[in-house]
Amino acid sequence: MKTPKSLLLLALLAGAPVVAFAADPTVPVKTIIEVAAGNWSETSPTANDVFDKERLGQFFSADFAKTYREASKHPAYDPPEGETTGSPFDYDPIAGGQEGCAFENIRVEDDGEGQVTALFNNRKCLGDDPAYKEDTVLIFHVVEEQGRAVIDDMYRVEDGQSGKSLKDELKEIAAQ
């Protein structure tokens, strides 16, 4: 008795090892940096909230999103009439302040083990001080949830050292 070729192929595929592809941890970081960079563009700045409802659900962990939502109940500025929440930050946590320049020389690097580093310069236009020529460096902790890479926390590098956790800052705001 002859076995149809399609049956043989199916049998071979059923016994084949499954190759799992881990989610690319740089994708959510690149997306968030791109949104923030657009907000600081010299030619046509946007006004996109890095932490809007859609991005919180797509690019951030469930724990980070929950923490952000709790902190947003304590907005840094009075929310629009009829709103009860708003940004808990009185600065741009990606750009690192209320003043800055267009993002230049953006690089996003997968450091392994769930750590992704974003580097860019966004202070050159502020003057000739050597500090303005240095890169802004952010370290993102990325985890996998439901088969996709999401940001669980972020740390600003200050004086060569990892600074305060953004999620911890949100927890402090929520505790007010």
Side-chain angles (χ1 to χ4, degrees):
M1 177 174 169
K2 278 188 150 180
T3 307
K5 287 183 183 179
S6 58
L7 211 50
L8 282 173
L9 181 59
L10 184 59
L12 285 172
L13 288 176
V18 176
V19 178
F21 295 99
D24 181 350
T26 65
V27 170
V29 175
K30 287 177 181 176
T31 302
I32 295 308
I33 296 296
E34 183 179 298
V35 170
N39 292 337
W40 291 90
S41 171
E42 288 178 354
T43 55
S44 56
T46 57
N48 295 317
D49 183 359
V50 169
F51 304 104
D52 72 7
K53 185 177 180 177
E54 182 180 330
R55 282 189 257 301
L56 272 176
Q58 188 173 1
F59 300 110
F60 293 90
S61 71
D63 186 56
F64 185 96
K66 177 184 170 201
T67 305
Y68 182 89
R69 282 190 291 276
E70 286 300 314
S72 73
K73 293 175 184 175
H74 305 276
Y77 301 105
D78 291 334
E81 190 168 325
E83 298 289 322
T84 58
T85 63
S87 174
F89 302 114
D90 62 355
Y91 70 102
D92 182 328
I94 305 297
Q98 294 177 334
E99 295 181 358
C101 314
F103 288 25
E104 294 181 10
N105 195 22
I106 299 170
R107 286 118 41 230
V108 175
E109 303 167 356
D110 180 358
D111 299 331
E113 311 256 343
Q115 181 173 300
V116 176
T117 302
L119 306 98
F120 51 89
N121 187 291
N122 66 324
R123 298 178 299 173
K124 280 186 182 178
C125 72
L126 297 177
D128 293 329
D129 188 304
Y132 295 146
K133 293 176 177 36
E134 293 179 18
D135 281 333
T136 296
V137 181
L138 305 172
I139 298 172
F140 291 84
H141 178 66
V142 178
V143 297
E144 193 168 320
E145 284 183 358
Q146 300 176 356
R148 59 191 169 86
V150 290
I151 299 166
D152 188 54
D153 208 348
M154 181 189 98
Y155 304 83
R156 175 169 303 287
V157 173
E158 298 167 356
D159 299 322
Q161 301 293 316
S162 178
K164 186 175 187 176
S165 154
L166 187 64
K167 194 164 28 170
D168 285 348
E169 183 178 343
L170 288 168
K171 288 176 183 176
E172 288 174 10
I173 293 168
Q176 293 180 12

